[in-house]
Amino acid sequence: MTQQVPLLINGELVSSRASEWIPVTNPATQEVLAQVPCATSEEVEQAIAAARNAFATWKETPVGERARLMLRYQALLKENHDEIATLLAQETGKTFEDAKGDVWRGIEVVEHACNIASLSMGETVENVARKIDCYSITQPLGVCVGITPFNFPAMIPLWMFPMAIACGNTFVLKPSEQDPLTPIRLAELFKEAGAPDGLLQIVHGTKDVVNQLLTHKDTPAISFVGSVAVGEHIYRTGTDHMKRVQAFAGAKNHMVVMPDAQKQQVINNIAGASVGAAGQRCMAISVAVFVGEAREWIPEVRDALAKVRPGAWNDPEAGYGPQINPQAKARILDFIRQGKEAGAECILDGSECVVEGYPDGNWVGPTMFRNVTTDMSIYTEEIFGPVLIALEVDTLDEAIELINNNPYGNGTSMFTASGAAARKYQHEIKVGQVGINVPVPVPLPMFSFTGWRKSFYGDQHAYGKQAVRFYTETKTVTARWFEDDIDTGVNTSINLR
Ligand code: NAD
């Protein structure tokens, strides 16, 4: 019988009583790896109740004890790094090295959560008025919810629950139904690290489960990562229900190539950042903007892309894996068709990609277009596949204007040898994460993941200090201790005295 993915409720991995199940498949072969349930509303209710009960004691747990749980957890994740990456590679199709990177970028956030004591320190001012001190403290919110996408089944859950739990909250995670095996393994290791029952629950499913979590009276904070359409729904519904919401959404990331940049660095970095992970990264470079004479490098960029070969997760020569499912592949092929029909020049076409030994895989080969206009769907939409658009402009000012007119603002990069050009770019560009001669500028966890505009709805971002602000409430105490019982009179004004 195919494996059934369990739910995690109150420390127990339990079988769901769901009537609806979704197959989890290996995208290189279509082999069904497991069946994932769409949890019943009772099960979702049980998960929230378990998290609510656990919160009562966890919020009183000393900060050092919370940090030590994270220390044990990061050690276990490192010990099991290869095993988690193997599981992740099978259900996502990522190459083993890239799967290891997915896990590693999550481990780094757990390491960051070990610093929770210093991260949650408040502020104090003595003598805000005579003999009156003022100080702030941070307190957890309660049951926090995470809803995560398919493309980083280790890193993105690990952006969320370790920081939330280190802050003293408890958590309900609804991972992507397309690759739920990795999150369950992460949860098993969390339990093994000594996490008390009820700290972390996992419920599976799609829209109905999400909506129940999103509108429940006992879930004050919602973290979401996924597409723009769903992100907008999550943000609107969550805030309508008076919740704190952070919703990380889609992207269209541009790399600006200046003619003074190092050519071979440009070529290598565009190739890796555009088709790596089959283009299924929210920080993938999907548009390269060649400035002035840099346009002459387009044929060489094309040749570099053409050499990257997709393949199965355990093929050490593969540059990237398959798309997550046949629908995602069909959607990308449709965009390629639309681009050609709209008159863009397809200078590398991966539509007919075949990978020997894997006839059923969701393969799309590296694809590149030039002569694209900004009204074409291949430019306006997030394709989320190994498709690079080359645009050409005459000046840096034109490149900046073009990018600032694009509604997304997740990531961008610029390749140049000029400090002045780079400084101008970082200052004027309306994108939240900027790489200078770095193609995929995902910040490390001492900073925060700071998408802008249509790529992020909310205020406080993931990890870094902002995660502590998101997952806690600040309380400010104004305190006086009387030394004598002296009559200083009745004070009817707002002033302290
Ligand atoms: P998705 O929006 O389809 O799914 C994300 C989550 O929402 C999943 O858990 C899914 O089950 C749930 N969901 C799907 N439809 C829903 C609905 N109608 N109502 C409620 N919940 C629903 O995204 P995906 O395809 O899994 O992931 C790819 C997308 O995620 C891309 O757009 C990518 O750019 C984006 N992404 C963004 C970031 C970021 O940090 N900005 C990071 C990773 C991925």
Side-chain angles (χ1 to χ4, degrees):
M1 204 181 95
T2 324
Q3 178 195 348
Q4 294 189 340
V5 188
L7 308 173
L8 176 69
I9 299 178
N10 205 24
E12 297 291 324
L13 290 167
V14 292
S15 302
S16 173
R17 289 184 300 281
S19 53
E20 200 188 327
W21 294 74
I22 300 170
V24 180
T25 53
N26 176 332
T29 61
Q30 310 306 333
E31 176 201 355
V32 177
L33 302 171
Q35 296 283 345
V36 65
C38 294
T40 65
S41 67
E42 271 172 16
E43 289 164 344
V44 175
E45 194 58 52
Q46 283 165 9
I48 296 170
R52 197 180 48 221
N53 291 340
F55 179 64
T57 40
W58 184 245
K59 72 182 166 67
E60 304 300 339
T61 303
V63 68
E65 219 173 290
R66 286 182 264 136
R68 282 189 289 277
L69 170 62
M70 296 303 158
L71 279 166
R72 289 191 298 271
Y73 189 40
Q74 60 87 30
L76 270 180
L77 290 170
K78 283 177 190 158
E79 271 170 38
N80 292 276
H81 193 170
D82 281 6
E83 181 230 300
I84 306 166
T86 303
L87 182 65
L88 190 154
Q90 284 167 358
E91 63 176 344
T92 60
K94 286 190 187 191
T95 62
F96 183 61
E97 273 311 304
D98 199 33
K100 280 192 79 170
D102 186 332
V103 180
W104 181 252
R105 298 304 300 252
I107 290 174
E108 289 178 324
V109 183
V110 183
E111 286 174 347
H112 180 67
C114 298
N115 297 321
I116 191 61
S118 30
L119 283 169
S120 46
M121 280 167 78
E123 297 167 319
T124 307
V125 175
E126 192 186 33
N127 279 342
V128 288
R130 194 166 300 282
K131 294 195 175 174
I132 296 184
D133 301 333
C134 193
Y135 48 92
S136 67
I137 51 184
T138 54
Q139 294 191 334
L141 304 172
V143 180
C144 300
V145 166
I147 300 148
T148 53
F150 80 81
N151 66 331
F152 282 101
M155 179 184 82
I156 293 179
L158 292 173
W159 279 6
M160 297 177 181
F161 74 80
M163 288 304 294
I165 289 173
C167 288
N169 301 286
T170 55
F171 208 86
V172 180
L173 174 69
K174 204 302 287 175
S176 171
E177 65 282 10
Q178 303 192 71
D179 41 23
L181 298 169
T182 303
I184 284 289
R185 187 69 192 120
L186 297 179
E188 284 172 352
L189 291 171
F190 194 48
K191 217 167 120 60
E192 207 178 310
D197 293 348
L199 245 54
L200 172 66
Q201 339 303 308
I202 299 192
V203 291
H204 304 288
T206 56
K207 197 166 100 198
D208 293 343
V209 172
V210 171
N211 286 339
Q212 188 175 346
L213 293 168
L214 192 55
T215 55
H216 197 283
K217 65 176 177 40
D218 293 333
T219 57
I222 311 287
S223 301
F224 167 86
V225 179
S227 60
V228 164
V230 182
E232 286 179 351
H233 161 70
I234 298 279
Y235 189 73
R236 286 209 181 94
T237 313
T239 50
D240 269 0
H241 284 77
M242 314 306 257
K243 291 172 198 286
R244 189 176 286 204
V245 182
Q246 52 175 201
F248 298 83
K252 196 81 179 174
N253 306 310
H254 299 65
M255 180 196 283
V256 173
V257 181
M258 298 297 285
D260 63 0
Q262 295 187 9
K263 185 171 85 172
Q264 197 53 48
Q265 293 288 357
V266 165
I267 293 168
N268 296 345
N269 280 285
I270 296 184
S274 59
V275 303
Q280 297 175 128
R281 288 183 186 139
C282 67
M283 290 287 279
I285 291 296
S286 45
V287 184
V289 185
F290 294 87
V291 179
E293 287 158 15
R295 53 166 60 89
E296 286 164 20
W297 304 343
I298 292 177
E300 287 168 85
V301 170
R302 179 214 162 274
D303 293 347
L305 248 70
K307 287 191 195 127
V308 184
R309 193 175 57 72
W313 72 271
N314 52 359
D315 172 355
E317 300 300 312
Y320 64 88
Q323 309 311 130
I324 189 68
N325 58 38
Q327 296 75 22
K329 173 180 170 172
R331 185 174 166 277
I332 296 163
L333 296 190
D334 195 43
F335 274 120
I336 297 174
R337 186 190 52 74
Q338 288 175 36
K340 291 175 189 165
E341 278 177 17
E345 188 187 346
C346 188
I347 55 176
L348 181 66
D349 188 350
S351 310
E352 303 289 338
C353 179
V354 174
V355 173
E356 206 181 316
Y358 295 90
D360 300 324
N362 311 316
W363 308 110
V364 179
T367 299
M368 187 169 168
F369 281 96
R370 72 185 296 183
N371 292 328
V372 176
T373 54
T374 54
D375 56 345
M376 292 180 187
S377 64
I378 51 170
Y379 179 75
T380 57
E381 301 294 317
E382 180 185 42
I383 300 176
F384 223 52
V387 180
L388 178 69
I389 310 294
L391 296 180
E392 297 159 51
V393 295
D394 293 327
T395 63
L396 176 58
D397 282 316
E398 271 180 77
I400 292 172
E401 190 184 348
L402 173 96
I403 297 165
N404 286 347
N405 281 334
N406 187 286
Y408 292 103
N410 214 33
T412 185
S413 69
M414 166 192 239
F415 274 65
T416 184
S418 159
R423 172 63 176 71
K424 175 182 169 72
Y425 190 70
Q426 80 176 37
H427 183 65
E428 293 183 17
I429 206 71
K430 293 181 189 161
V431 175
Q433 301 171 105
V434 181
I436 295 168
N437 298 317
V438 172
V440 183
V442 176
L444 264 80
M446 60 292 279
F447 293 91
S448 297
F449 189 92
T450 52
W452 277 21
R453 297 192 282 146
K454 211 175 157 101
S455 298
F456 178 72
Y457 299 100
D459 175 7
Q460 305 292 344
H461 293 83
Y463 58 80
K465 291 184 190 130
Q466 295 194 19
V468 178
R469 284 185 218 124
F470 183 77
Y471 289 123
T472 58
E473 198 83 76
T474 304
K475 187 181 281 180
T476 313
V477 181
T478 306
R480 164 165 60 191
W481 293 95
F482 297 108
E483 288 169 13
D484 310 295
D485 189 11
I486 310 169
D487 183 354
T488 47
V490 175
N491 178 10
T492 56
S493 79
I494 195 173
N495 295 331
L496 291 172
R497 61 167 205 234

